[in-house]
Amino acid sequence: MLDLHFAPELRFFLTPRRRHGPVRVETEPTSTLGHVVQSLGVPLTEVGSLRVNGHPRPPAHRPCPGDIVDVLAVRWPQTPPFGHTRFLLDVHLGTLARRLRLLGVDTAYDNDRDDQALMEQANAEERVLLTRDRGLLRRRDLRAGAHIHQDHPDDQLREVLERFAPSLHPWTRCPACNGALAPAAKHQVQSRLEPGTRATYEAFSRCRSCGRVYWPGAHHPHLARIVHQAQEFVSDRST
C-alpha cells in the first residue's frame, strides 16, 4: 500500500470520497509514481513536485509498498518548459482565446480539433495546452498543459494571467486568427469599409495573416476595459 498526501489545490481532481486526508492505494511493482498519481485523476501538468519519504522523486520513479508520497501543486507563476509562453486552447475556451489575443498573447485556437490533434499541435508548436478537460491533460505525451478551473471568461483570464504571467502587448494580435496587426492607412483599406465607417473613423489596423480590418468602433470601450483591467491585475500582482 502507498499513502499519498495531496496538496489542497490538487484535491479537486480526486473523487469526492478521497478529497479529505491521505489516499491509500495498492500498486503494482511496475507502476511508476506518475502513473499512480494520474490514475487517481490528478494530471501531472498540475503537479509541481513529488516526494517519497521526504525525498524528491521524478514521475518515472517506482514506489515501494509502505512509501509515503507527497504530491505538491505547481507553483505560480509557472514558467513553461519552452523558454517562452504561448498557448493553445480547446474548443470550450473560445472567448478566453479572443481575450488573450486582445492582450497580445500568442494564442492558437481551433474549434474543430480532436484531443489527439490538440496534443500534437501543442507539442509541435511548443504551446501550453489550456483546457477544462482533465482527461486531455492526463495524456502521457503532452509536454505542457494547464487546467482552467474558472467558469466565467473574466475569471478564466485572471487565472491564466496569475498562473503564467505572460507579457502583455495589447492591440497587436488579430482576435479572429492570432495574426499580427499592423497600422493601415485609410486609403489602403477603404474598399473594405462601409460608408458610415469611412466617414467616421480615421485610425485602422489590418491583420497581416487574414486581412481583417479593425478600428475603434462602438465595441471599443468594452474591449478597452478588458485591457485596462488585465493590465491593472498584472500590475497589482507584481507589486
Side-chain angles (χ1 to χ4, degrees):
M1 298 288 287
L2 294 179
D3 282 340
L4 293 99
H5 298 254
F6 288 89
E9 301 94 324
L10 299 177
R11 293 175 189 164
F12 160 84
F13 296 102
L14 301 171
T15 58
R17 67 183 179 87
R18 285 175 161 162
R19 291 177 183 170
H20 306 284
V23 177
R24 302 201 76 192
V25 295
E26 293 187 11
T27 180
E28 297 293 330
T30 56
S31 296
T32 66
L33 198 53
H35 172 76
V36 173
V37 170
Q38 295 216 119
S39 70
L40 292 170
V42 180
L44 289 181
T45 59
E46 309 309 299
V47 174
S49 62
L50 298 164
R51 293 182 175 271
V52 178
N53 303 322
H55 302 287
R57 293 290 184 262
H61 175 77
R62 288 185 170 84
C64 300
D67 282 346
I68 297 175
V69 180
D70 291 301
V71 186
L72 306 180
V74 68
R75 297 181 64 182
W76 295 14
Q78 179 182 356
T79 302
F82 310 123
H84 53 254
T85 303
R86 55 191 180 200
F87 302 109
L88 171 63
L89 278 60
D90 74 3
V91 63
H92 303 291
L93 298 174
T95 300
L96 176 60
R98 289 188 291 274
R99 293 192 179 195
L100 286 168
R101 290 170 176 176
L102 178 66
L103 296 173
V105 179
D106 189 343
T107 304
Y109 170 78
D110 192 321
N111 62 5
D112 191 27
R113 294 287 183 95
D114 61 24
D115 288 357
Q116 182 65 26
L118 283 169
M119 185 188 72
E120 291 175 356
Q121 181 181 355
N123 289 346
E125 298 179 6
E126 297 187 337
R127 295 180 181 275
V128 179
L129 178 57
L130 303 183
T131 178
R132 303 197 68 192
D133 183 345
R134 287 174 273 181
L136 177 54
L137 291 177
R138 293 199 300 270
R139 285 183 167 248
R140 183 179 62 184
D141 296 329
L142 180 63
R143 296 179 63 189
H147 182 266
I148 299 299
H149 291 261
Q150 301 295 331
D151 297 318
H152 193 276
D154 289 343
D155 299 325
Q156 291 173 347
L157 180 59
R158 285 191 289 269
E159 183 179 354
V160 174
L161 296 180
E162 184 174 5
R163 177 164 178 171
F164 292 100
S167 298
L168 305 186
H169 307 281
W171 318 108
T172 62
R173 287 191 177 273
C174 175
C177 80
N178 196 45
L181 295 180
K186 188 174 184 177
H187 73 270
Q188 295 175 315
V189 298
Q190 62 182 356
S191 62
R192 306 188 62 176
L193 304 177
E194 295 293 334
T197 303
R198 285 199 300 268
T200 306
Y201 299 99
E202 298 297 328
F204 300 92
S205 59
R206 180 167 53 188
C207 177
R208 296 179 185 269
S209 297
C210 71
R212 285 180 173 84
V213 178
Y214 295 92
W215 59 92
H219 60 294
H220 184 76
H222 172 65
L223 300 179
R225 280 195 298 273
I226 293 174
V227 170
H228 178 69
Q229 289 170 359
Q231 291 173 321
E232 278 198 331
F233 179 80
V234 170
S235 177
D236 289 344
R237 299 299 301 181
S238 62
T239 57

